[in-house]
Amino acid sequence: MEDLSGTGAALEVLAAIAVGAVSAVLPVVNAEAVVLAAAVGRPRTAVPVVLGVALGQTLGKVALMVAARHGAHRLVGLLHHPRSRVRTGGAPAGAEPPGAGAPPPRTAWWARAARAVRRWGERCLAALDSGRWAGPVVLLSATTGVPPLAVTSIAAGLRRTPVPLFTVCCLLGRSARFLALGLPALAAT
């Protein structure tokens, strides 16, 4: 028999938020597996748990975004500080650059595909600067995983995407993704 008390359900939701936040920054923790386990194993509390995972993921991705926004300035300062041990200079004179030698053979279609993906990625990154397209890019990333949400979170921090816009779009996208994943499993039980 399931524990339907308020305390038990609240602990499940809090645990889901924690797991979601951890999975947002550590890819080895799979949020989708938690969602499926909740839908199959605890059908009565599955929806709040699924929404808790989405909230935790959003909090973790916002943390990545804010860290990228503030950490980038500190990193640039560190790299350009006169006493810094980290150097940005190139290889010593006469040294062969890494990866020198014959490039791997590429067919024409591969080169065209690589250019198209690079251009699409650049357009997505540029869209994060605008108030008009930043939301749809984050929503697409949070819902489908394309482009990866971790990359989008960091890029949004570097591109000055507004935090409230990122947060709302990320929460909506993650909630939709996890509900779409968990509801069929819930219906099958």
Side-chain angles (χ1 to χ4, degrees), residues 71-87:
H73 301 299
R74 289 190 180 127
L75 180 62
V76 168
L78 174 70
L79 293 176
H80 291 88
H81 192 274
R83 293 186 183 157
S84 173
R85 293 180 185 198
V86 180
R87 299 291 175 218

Side-chain angles (χ1 to χ4, degrees), residues 15-67:
I17 292 170
V19 168
V22 169
S23 72
V25 294
L26 294 176
V28 295
V29 178
N30 191 329
E32 285 81 358
V34 172
V35 166
L36 287 174
V40 173
R42 304 283 288 185
R44 292 201 177 188
T45 58
V47 172
V49 167
V50 166
L51 294 176
V53 172
L55 177 62
Q57 276 260 311
T58 300
L59 294 173
K61 297 303 181 185
V62 168
L64 281 177
M65 177 192 181
V66 171

Side-chain angles (χ1 to χ4, degrees), residues 87-100:
R87 299 291 175 218
T88 59
E96 193 169 314

Side-chain angles (χ1 to χ4, degrees), residues 127-128 130-141 161-162 165-166 169-170:
L128 289 172
S130 76
R132 182 177 183 189
W133 292 107
V137 168
V138 174
L139 188 61
L140 175 72
S141 179
T161 302
L165 176 69
F166 179 87
C169 291
C170 186

Side-chain angles (χ1 to χ4, degrees), residues 54 58 139 142-143 166-178:
T58 300
L139 188 61
T143 306
F166 179 87
T167 304
V168 168
C169 291
C170 186
L171 182 60
L172 289 174
R174 290 276 99 176
S175 297
R177 177 183 178 96
F178 294 147

